[in-house]
Amino acid sequence: MKIFDEAALVSGIRNGNRRALARGITLVESTRAADMELAQRMLQQLMPHTGKSVRLGITGVPGVGKSTFIEALGLHVAAQQKRVAVLAVDPSSPYTGGSILGDKTRMTELSRLEEVFIRPSPTGGTLGGVSRKTRESILLCEAAGYDVVIVETVGVGQSEYEVASMVDFFLMLMLPNAGDSLQGIKRGIMELADLILVNKADAGFEARAEAAKREYSNALHLLRPKYPGYTTEVKLCSALHKNGVAEAWEHVQTYLARLGSDGHFIQNRNRQLIHWTRRLTEELLLARLWEHPDVKTGWDTETARIRSGETTPVLAGQTLIETFRKSYSA
Amino acid sequence: MKIFDEAALVSGIRNGNRRALARGITLVESTRAADMELAQRMLQQLMPHTGKSVRLGITGVPGVGKSTFIEALGLHVAAQQKRVAVLAVDPSSPYTGGSILGDKTRMTELSRLEEVFIRPSPTGGTLGGVSRKTRESILLCEAAGYDVVIVETVGVGQSEYEVASMVDFFLMLMLPNAGDSLQGIKRGIMELADLILVNKADAGFEARAEAAKREYSNALHLLRPKYPGYTTEVKLCSALHKNGVAEAWEHVQTYLARLGSDGHFIQNRNRQLIHWTRRLTEELLLARLWEHPDVKTGWDTETARIRSGETTPVLAGQTLIETFRKSYSA
């Protein structure tokens, strides 16, 4: 049974059909070797039509108001006749079945718009695999004509680095309570930010928000700038009341124009392509390894021998790649 | 110049020499193919002497008091004539140069003991690579005679799953402020816990700590138990005042005895060995890929062609693994 018709899929995505796009992303997320090959053929055909969106990464701890902010920003951008896609990278979802965009209902207004595409986090695989899939999903959204692709992530760890390595602009949302030890870990991640937005600067919380803004600004001065001569700004916003959202978008555009004119934009894009190539090559090879019939048989034998104490993981690993070496070229 | 003398290294580790152990771990952390091979030979020789420690994972958000708790627990365990090793897995350190155990001085009393070994997080590589190295570092500590190996991690993401997949007992430290939205993400991770300890249950905070304990207990009842018939307990402690630390250690031992008698302990250990085998096989193969002279040459050619727009990452990846296939068996 043929689930994916290659030509129909490619033309559907090119025509901006949301169902085709969703199917394309499902294909990209598959770990079956046959699906991966089809996905790569599809990507290869779509590549000439990619690269034209603004790729925007957004991070922040749970509770900072990411959904509310993305909804407000998405509505603002959509009102300017631009098509918006939202993708999620959730480091905990590979195991628990997703959380950040698990229910689209969190962005009720935005998800109702015809010109908006929202996709929850891919499930399954390592963070590296998830981020490779997200990178390819960005390309599919671009081929489908989306003008702004927002990649949402959460956490205090590696997923921020992954997302920062696939976007043009990395926006960090912060709570208006600087000095909180829970945000201490964010220092390394602050170096990735192109803009810090102190959210929940609502009426009555102005003083706290201003204090937080000062504290983040001071902290940023101690870090190395993201690009020589650049300063990461700290701004206030209230996503709930839609204050500061238009200004933030304005800032993104001005900043990207500057990156474009001094060459950083294209340098970033090229570096990201090279990074993706490395990941992709590794995933292609590992798929070949684990789908090889001799390696499958060898895996069963070796793991049984590990359980019975006849071999060790080290020897088993060597045996398996030797099996692969012998039969791979045959 | 020979930096690592294999036989001296193996016997040094077996004799419990801390410098040899530190060198062995450095070797395990190396990503050079030659070092990796030496590391695997070393591990192979040490494997018969591994497996006898209690492997204890400890997690919690920044500010929860992990260092203080590990110091208190380490001192308590060391006072019972047991040797303690502390390893760190820090998802942010591959890029920023380490944070959780970056300065050993945070555990001043513990680090002064002769029978205690403290090792900061490995730097470099993906989280998968870091966790493979940590797994092997546990084995080296065991071969060096450590009775308790504590693996510390931090964050709200994938590193908890990685650490949970390499230890016998996973302990989660929590702050005495349940309901905090910042801890919302912990639900998926709570399913990994064998014990939840509400830390900072200090004088004056008893009511808050008790309320938190109730809330966590209620939440746990909604989750599936880690093992059929088991309940993850929630206990209070004050690491700062060394209250509840001895009781927590007592609980760990009773719990592990139960896991041992009903077969879960050995099942976990076997599953973890198999998981490690998979990772190790992949790393060995990828090291062969990237160190292959033809692939190195091909990489330079292909990335130049990507920059000039002559090829795409997809085609480049396929070309590279084809290059590898042709020359790998030669």
Side-chain angles (χ1 to χ4, degrees), chain B residues 197-208:
Chain B
L197 268 186
V198 178
N199 193 24
K200 302 194 177 177
D202 306 335
F205 290 91
E206 293 91 347
R208 267 177 79 180

Side-chain angles (χ1 to χ4, degrees), chain A residues 230-255:
Chain A
Y230 279 62
T231 309
T232 296
E233 285 193 37
V234 184
K235 293 177 174 292
L236 301 181
C237 87
S238 165
L240 192 63
H241 302 101
K242 302 199 163 105
N243 288 331
V245 175
E247 292 78 359
W249 179 240
E250 192 64 38
H251 181 80
V252 170
Q253 289 179 297
T254 311
Y255 189 94

Side-chain angles (χ1 to χ4, degrees), chain A residues 37 40-41 43-44 47 61-63 90-92 94-96 99 125-128 154-158 161-162 175 180-182 184-185 188-189 191 224 270 273-274 276-282 284-286 288-290 299 303 306-307 312-318 320-322 324-326 328-330, chain B residues 37 40-41 43-44 47 61-63 90-92 94-96 99 125-128 154-158 161-162 175 180-182 184-185 188-189 191 224 270 273-274 276-282 284-286 288-290 299 303 306-307 312-318 320-322 324-326 328-330:
Chain A
E37 272 173 38
Q40 299 314 322
R41 283 205 305 277
L43 271 169
Q44 180 60 22
M47 278 304 280
V61 294
D90 182 348
S92 59
Y95 305 88
T96 58
S99 64
T126 62
L127 180 56
V154 69
V156 292
Q158 201 170 0
Y161 293 92
E162 294 288 337
L175 287 166
D180 188 327
S181 63
L182 283 159
I185 191 128
I189 293 166
E191 287 190 343
R224 72 182 160 214
N270 275 334
L273 270 182
I274 305 294
W276 176 40
T277 305
R278 200 177 164 89
R279 282 288 169 81
L280 192 58
T281 308
E282 294 187 340
L284 288 170
L285 183 63
L286 294 179
R288 297 249 179 122
L289 171 71
W290 296 120
W299 174 257
T303 51
I306 287 172
R307 279 197 195 85
T312 66
V314 173
L315 287 182
Q318 286 163 348
L320 287 166
I321 65 169
E322 189 55 24
F324 182 61
R325 189 184 70 76
K326 279 193 195 131
Y328 185 39
S329 60
Chain B
E37 273 174 37
Q40 299 313 323
R41 283 205 305 276
L43 270 169
Q44 181 59 20
M47 278 304 280
V61 295
D90 182 349
S92 59
Y95 305 87
T96 57
S99 65
T126 61
L127 180 57
V154 68
V156 292
Q158 201 170 1
Y161 293 92
E162 294 288 336
L175 287 166
D180 187 328
S181 63
L182 283 159
I185 192 128
I189 294 166
E191 288 191 342
R224 72 181 160 215
N270 275 335
L273 270 182
I274 306 294
W276 176 41
T277 305
R278 200 175 164 89
R279 282 289 169 81
L280 191 58
T281 307
E282 295 188 339
L284 287 170
L285 183 63
L286 294 179
R288 297 250 179 122
L289 170 72
W290 296 120
W299 174 257
T303 51
I306 287 172
R307 280 197 195 84
T312 65
V314 173
L315 287 182
Q318 285 163 349
L320 287 165
I321 65 169
E322 189 55 25
F324 182 61
R325 189 184 69 77
K326 279 193 195 130
Y328 186 37
S329 60

Side-chain angles (χ1 to χ4, degrees), chain B residues 1 8 19 27 40 43 56 84 91 107 115 127 149 151 165 170 182 185 195 201-202 207 212 263 301 307 318 330:
Chain B
M1 205 177 71
R19 257 189 85 194
L27 191 59
Q40 299 313 323
L43 270 169
L56 178 61
V84 180
M107 300 181 196
E115 295 302 282
L127 180 57
V149 182
V151 183
S165 79
F170 195 63
L182 283 159
I185 192 128
L195 171 65
D202 306 335
T301 312
R307 280 197 195 84
Q318 285 163 349

Side-chain angles (χ1 to χ4, degrees), chain B:
Chain B
M1 205 177 71
K2 200 166 187 182
I3 298 172
F4 297 106
D5 178 305
E6 189 175 337
L9 195 57
V10 168
S11 69
I13 292 172
R14 284 289 293 131
N15 292 330
N17 179 311
R18 283 201 290 191
R19 257 189 85 194
L21 176 58
R23 285 190 154 213
I25 293 179
T26 300
L27 191 59
V28 151
E29 291 174 357
S30 170
T31 50
R32 288 182 50 225
D35 286 347
M36 282 180 75
E37 273 174 37
L38 177 50
Q40 299 313 323
R41 283 205 305 276
M42 170 186 72
L43 270 169
Q44 181 59 20
Q45 291 174 65
L46 293 173
M47 278 304 280
H49 311 289
T50 63
K52 300 214 178 60
S53 82
V54 169
R55 302 171 184 171
L56 178 61
I58 296 182
T59 193
V61 295
V64 75
K66 278 190 300 301
S67 307
T68 311
F69 178 78
I70 292 172
E71 167 141 298
L73 180 68
L75 291 169
H76 174 73
V77 173
Q80 301 177 12
Q81 320 306 326
K82 290 196 187 296
R83 298 176 68 207
V84 180
V86 183
L87 307 171
V89 173
D90 182 349
S92 59
S93 74
Y95 305 87
T96 57
S99 65
I100 42 176
L101 277 176
D103 58 342
K104 287 191 190 179
T105 52
R106 291 186 316 138
M107 300 181 196
T108 39
E109 267 192 85
L110 193 62
S111 61
R112 248 185 262 122
L113 295 187
E114 189 60 42
E115 295 302 282
V116 170
F117 177 82
I118 299 181
R119 177 81 177 192
S121 182
T123 53
T126 61
L127 180 57
V130 167
S131 71
R132 198 264 301 154
K133 294 163 190 174
T134 304
R135 198 178 298 272
E136 294 176 4
S137 301
I138 293 173
L139 297 172
L140 295 189
C141 292
E142 290 180 342
Y146 287 89
D147 305 293
V148 180
V149 182
I150 295 173
V151 183
E152 175 186 9
T153 188
V154 68
V156 292
Q158 201 170 1
S159 65
E160 271 85 356
Y161 293 92
E162 294 288 336
V163 171
S165 79
M166 62 178 86
V167 297
D168 304 314
F169 191 101
F170 195 63
L171 194 161
M172 189 171 300
L173 290 174
M174 293 288 221
L175 287 166
N177 48 345
D180 187 328
S181 63
L182 283 159
Q183 301 198 30
I185 192 128
K186 288 288 177 192
R187 289 202 61 169
I189 294 166
M190 275 175 81
E191 288 191 342
L192 303 172
D194 294 292
L195 171 65
I196 288 179
L197 268 186
V198 178
N199 193 24
K200 302 194 177 177
D202 306 335
F205 290 91
E206 293 91 347
R208 267 177 79 180
E210 282 290 348
K213 178 181 167 175
R214 263 194 314 279
E215 196 163 330
Y216 293 132
S217 298
N218 290 341
L220 282 166
H221 282 116
L222 302 173
L223 305 175
R224 72 181 160 215
K226 187 154 174 180
Y227 305 98
Y230 279 63
T231 309
T232 296
E233 285 194 37
V234 184
K235 292 179 175 288
L236 301 180
C237 86
S238 165
L240 191 63
H241 302 102
K242 302 199 163 110
N243 287 332
V245 175
E247 291 78 359
W249 179 241
E250 193 64 39
H251 181 81
V252 170
Q253 290 180 297
T254 311
Y255 189 94
L256 288 178
R258 184 177 169 199
L259 285 181
S261 67
D262 62 16
H264 289 303
F265 186 88
I266 190 68
Q267 279 169 26
N268 282 344
R269 284 269 176 114
N270 275 335
R271 192 167 37 233
Q272 292 169 1
L273 270 182
I274 306 294
H275 182 68
W276 176 41
T277 305
R278 200 175 164 89
R279 282 289 169 81
L280 191 58
T281 307
E282 295 188 339
E283 286 220 16
L284 287 170
L285 183 63
L286 294 179
R288 297 250 179 122
L289 170 72
W290 296 120
E291 298 234 348
H292 197 291
D294 295 353
V295 174
K296 280 185 176 173
T297 310
W299 174 257
D300 293 341
T301 312
E302 293 302 317
T303 51
R305 293 182 68 220
I306 287 172
R307 280 197 195 84
S308 64
E310 290 165 80
T311 190
T312 65
V314 173
L315 287 182
Q318 285 163 349
T319 304
L320 287 165
I321 65 169
E322 189 55 25
T323 301
F324 182 61
R325 189 184 69 77
K326 279 193 195 130
S327 46
Y328 186 37
S329 60

